[in-house]
Amino acid sequence: MHNIQWIVCEDYEQLSAAAGHIFERQIIEKPGSVLGLATGDTPLGLYDFLADRCRREGLDFSRITTFNLDEYYPMQPDHPQSYRRFMNEHLFSRVNIQSAHTFVPNGAAADPQAACRNYEALLDRMGGIDLQLLGVGHNGHIGFNEPGDRLVAFTHVTDLTQRTLQANARFFNSIDEVPRRAITMGMGTILKARAIVCLIAGADKHPVVEAMQTDWISPACPATFLKLHANVTVICDRKAYEG
Ligand code: GLP
């Protein structure tokens, strides 16, 4: 069988705390850690947990560097729905991280291909990701590595699927306002992280959990590629686990 370690939690609060303890330990054991971060609703409880630990117990982010998985393209960083703004709001402004140490793909780049190459190179220069946080889309996407005939190894510009546009339309006035493309770390970028924590909540993500528990790997469900990594912990709630 594959290497994924499963932690099944009773509810979302437990899931967030379980993830929070892993990130807290990482930051304490290696104060200069490079963390890979994700957006979406699922990590919000984890970000609350970390902000709380920083405020109450002085969990120290001053030497932490972060790289986010993805950003819409085109997208101005100060747009209310940009992932840069999401991260500033939900985590960076609430902990003592240096903003110059927080990286999100540049959705406003004039040359997005160059932005992708630079992001990948910067990540390597910083020594790679120690601990990568992931969520999953309903269609099994990771970051914005969407299901398809093939996946792309490194940071790249991608077209979003109709399913993802629909899922993310809830944040915009209408589906027509959702950017059709995004810059995302590739599957190889993600699998280079030394450890991965993947959060899955809600019965509607159960089909992804099921696919991750089989022994096949397919670009039709990008989350199945996590089976190729030696150090993946999936933390899910009972609804996602049991359907
Ligand atoms: C977005 C992000 C993913 C995220 C996914 C699930 O499209 N690009 O990184 O994991 O949606 O989001 P949620 O946690 O809100 O279901």
Side-chain angles (χ1 to χ4, degrees):
M1 271 308 274
H2 51 78
N3 300 310
I4 296 178
Q5 194 200 329
W6 291 84
I7 299 178
V8 183
C9 298
E10 287 315 311
D11 55 29
Y12 180 68
E13 205 178 343
Q14 238 186 55
L15 172 151
S16 302
H21 288 125
I22 294 175
F23 275 82
E24 183 180 33
R25 194 171 62 233
Q26 175 71 38
I27 293 166
I28 291 170
E29 283 175 4
K30 186 176 176 188
S33 289
V34 177
L35 304 179
L37 298 179
T39 54
D41 286 337
T42 317
L44 289 176
L46 163 64
Y47 294 155
D48 286 345
F49 179 101
L50 292 175
D52 191 63
R53 280 295 203 270
C54 180
R55 188 166 48 87
R56 285 174 199 260
E57 290 169 28
L59 183 64
D60 184 16
F61 285 76
S62 63
R63 291 173 53 204
I64 295 293
T65 300
T66 64
F67 282 86
N68 263 76
L69 280 166
D70 47 17
E71 176 62 282
Y72 293 111
Y73 188 84
M75 178 56 89
Q76 292 300 321
D78 58 356
H79 185 285
Q81 297 312 332
S82 77
Y83 284 174
R84 157 57 73 185
R85 185 121 161 216
F86 176 101
M87 291 309 301
N88 287 348
E89 198 174 303
H90 294 290
L91 185 66
F92 301 152
S93 66
R94 303 165 74 197
V95 297
N96 66 327
I97 197 163
Q98 300 187 47
S99 58
H101 293 174
T102 68
F103 300 99
V104 178
N106 183 5
D111 181 348
Q113 312 300 343
C116 292
R117 284 194 299 276
N118 293 342
Y119 201 67
E120 199 75 34
L122 183 63
L123 227 163
D124 283 343
R125 263 204 316 282
M126 299 306 241
I129 291 173
D130 291 302
L131 180 58
Q132 174 70 54
L133 174 67
L134 298 176
V136 298
H138 298 94
N139 59 6
H141 77 213
I142 289 181
F144 273 132
N145 292 276
E146 295 277 41
D149 294 338
R150 60 189 181 181
L151 293 168
V152 180
F154 299 115
T155 303
H156 60 284
V157 181
T158 186
D159 292 322
L160 302 183
T161 61
Q162 196 57 27
R163 184 87 205 273
T164 298
L165 295 174
Q166 276 159 5
N168 291 4
R170 69 190 196 274
F171 301 112
F172 294 81
N173 292 326
S174 78
I175 191 166
D176 299 330
E177 284 184 21
V178 186
R180 295 283 187 270
R181 287 184 294 165
I183 295 177
T184 181
M185 285 185 195
M187 193 53 71
T189 323
I190 292 166
L191 292 177
K192 273 198 296 184
R194 287 183 269 283
I196 295 175
V197 168
C198 178
L199 306 183
I200 311 181
D204 49 345
K205 302 250 176 98
H206 179 64
V208 184
V209 169
E210 269 188 329
M212 291 174 81
Q213 288 180 320
T214 64
D215 59 2
W216 50 264
I217 291 159
S218 164
C221 181
T224 59
F225 275 72
L226 296 180
K227 295 169 201 178
L228 298 176
H229 195 280
N231 189 354
V232 176
T233 306
V234 177
I235 307 177
C236 59
D237 65 3
R238 195 158 289 287
K239 289 182 188 147
Y241 196 71
E242 287 173 2

